[in-house]
Amino acid sequence: MKVRAHITMVMNLDKCIGCHTCSVTCKNVWTNRPGAEYIWFNNVETKPGEGYPRQWENQDKYKGGWVLDKKGKPVLRSGGKLKKLANIFFNPNLPTIDDYYEPWTYDYETLQNAPVSKHQPVATPQSKLTGKDMAVEWGPNWEDDLAGGANVLLNDPNIRGELEEKLKADFENVFMMYLPRICNHCINTTCMASCPSGSIYKREEDGIVLIDQDSCRGWRMCVSGCPYKKVFFNWKSGKAEKCTMCFPRIEAGQPTVCSETCVGRIRYMGVLLYDADRIEEVAGTADEKDLIDAQLSMILDPNDPEVQDAALRDGVQPEWIEAARKSPAFALIKRYGVAVPLHPEFRTIPMVWYVPPLSPITSAFEAEDSPADPDDVFPAIESLRIPIEYLANMFTAGDTERIRMILRKLAAMRMYMRENDMIDDDERRETDMAGMDDAQIRRLYEILAIAKSKDRFVIPTRRGEVGRSPFQVQGGSGFPISFETPPEALDGPGGATSNSGFELPMVQLHGVSPGAPGAPGNGSAGNGSNGNGDGRAASAQDGSAGTKGGAS
Amino acid sequence: MNEEFKMLVWGALPYAVIAVFVVGHVWRYRTAQYSWTTRSSQLLERKTLMVGVLLFHFGMLAVVGGHIGGLLIPKDLTGSLGITEHMYHNVAVAMGTLAGVTMTAGLVILALRRSGNERVRKASQTADFVVIVALLAVVVTGMINTIGIQLLGDSHDYRETVSPWFRGIFLLQPDPELMAEAPWSFKLHALAAMGLFALWPFTRLVHAWSVPLTFIVRPPIVFRRRDSVAR
């Protein structure tokens, strides 16, 4: 057993309102740069739908993720290493920018400068690639709230087989749900395994997967290798970029930007302890439907003294073990078993988990064959608006039983809380508790319904005395904007220049001049690391544990 | 051509190029790793790229192989192995023409794509165009040698002139006279190649040194410590 800690996110899809605040705040922090206009580290998809990029779940097209070879060993779907090297000049599985969308802006100047005329001036869309006028035919969230629509519904790779026939026949019962997506920071990481340069790495301390921006050579294998299409190619810098799990914030004990700004408070972040010796074994689980159980078995119980001892022996800091014990992620994933990973059948062991949505419960009672008594909710789960099969194809490799079990727990929690908090004592009835006791149901309710920020985000700070001082690397986090853009053009408060360009400071503290005390000698900081070690740490780290929202 | 000029071009210039090449690479590697990349434009356009890039790179590999054979292996050695000048010449011209035409076709396609496709053109740096011009100069003069002189013309045995001159540079015994005897197109080819090598460290061509051979033996999952500096 080799114990490692992992920062893990759980998203409760029941509460996602599809407002895209996570996407917008993430974009403003991380990908608001030339060459990255089309890149959304975080995006929210309306399912059913093709998604971003189009058909990303279709691995016949992009050849992402892992498959088992004849001996039952997980191998890259896109082929072995020699095949990768043979394809190094041209990657046959790479999406083009049109699979995402052609980024554009609007000609706002016309609105100001247009001469007096009979007609109102119009700000025409202009391509960010060519600068020319363009017709906008596809974009991020083109399918927003469309519930698939007539054209693309059947392009959703999750709709197949019997489900396809059922949905065709049942078109008036259209359904939809939101699926916010970030990098899954997988344990059996396909992008990493695909990278010819070895530039993608997983941090031992917190499991965050980063791309070393200095050693990336732009071979693009990671982009097609990731089955979630969450590694992107910056066409201006020629380097791959991906979600950083906001590592400078995590190191300061703060949640990611997407989590912090989530209006529906659907996101939870916490530490999991996992057994790093079992990666290949778990990823090689023979039956796809057993993958989640296998993954759960490699997640260790932080309350187990043996696990604690092993964790200390393997260099996990004591405060991380303590955080793992309080982790909302551990509670939702392992203790209550109500969270599932996205597409476990890709065999990536993803570490962003989802609580599947208990779609509008009232709609179930309106269905013809549902029971009239609203309390008799469990048979009604079968006829929920979102088909169980659809959720199962997305989250459990087709295992409908696990989805049913989770929805039953969520429904039981609601029933129980209504009976006990809303109904008078003399009218209260016994409810089905889905195998949980009173304390467990109340705890699940606390986590899912009323948890405060400090309970939703249990993130230990990095140790200030280990490694380089955060103060010394202040201003050194983030992606360089571009090595061709003159620094003056972009310089603003907090601008740090270096010999290869301009770096965005992550967070600025009052009264501290970022960048001044020793911006890293070799300027291309980027996504985490360079030759002399990673850890372009947070700017805002001040050594006090658990500061939240302290930065301006 | 007077003696001083010969000495300057074929005796001194190669060393200047080597100095720029070596120092340039060290400087680039140490200070500007973030720009050390293929600068692929496959994301923006893939159909034309596929044809051009495959023809160019595989043709290039064959051309490089041919140059290693022609420049580095002395005539005496092939002769002692029983390969006659006639045999050598036929094979070299046939293979060279095939490889050269492949590479040239690929390069022309890539050049047209870079200047003709608006997305790719707008995403290009000046250096990307400079590289294409430099490569075209080398490839065109090379094709004049291979097709114009060796295949159709009255053939020049460069293994008596260019090759020993080339080896002499690295043996620190440059002999400008050898190069002075070569036909004009061979001289131009050598000059163009020196220009390319001088530009090399300052362009995307540096990606040629990043052939990921360690990929073969590397484990699939890579762990790194954040605080590796302190350990």
Side-chain angles (χ1 to χ4, degrees), chain A residues 180-254:
Chain A
R181 299 206 297 123
I182 63 170
C183 164
N184 287 297
H185 296 272
C186 306
I187 291 179
N188 193 35
T189 327
T190 334
C191 61
M192 191 184 289
S194 309
C195 174
S197 311
S199 300
I200 307 184
Y201 61 98
K202 194 170 188 67
R203 303 211 296 188
E204 277 182 29
E205 292 91 343
D206 51 20
I208 295 175
V209 176
L210 294 173
I211 301 173
D212 184 336
Q213 289 289 293
D214 275 345
S215 72
C216 170
R217 297 287 175 251
W219 300 122
R220 326 176 281 297
M221 296 300 174
C222 52
V223 179
S224 54
C226 171
Y228 306 98
K229 292 294 160 286
K230 277 295 175 187
V231 186
F232 303 89
F233 189 77
N234 180 320
W235 53 263
K236 184 145 186 146
S237 70
K239 302 256 170 170
E241 298 183 359
K242 65 177 284 301
C243 159
T244 64
M245 200 66 125
C246 291
F247 72 92
R249 290 176 59 93
I250 296 287
E251 289 174 7
Q254 298 181 337

Side-chain angles (χ1 to χ4, degrees), chain A residues 81 91 132 195 462 534, chain B residues 42 46 118 218 225 227:
Chain A
K81 289 176 169 179
N91 178 351
K132 293 264 173 75
C195 174
R462 75 170 282 201
D534 39 3
Chain B
Q42 191 187 340
R46 65 176 283 154
E118 192 155 18
R218 201 200 76 207
R225 287 198 72 83
D227 295 320

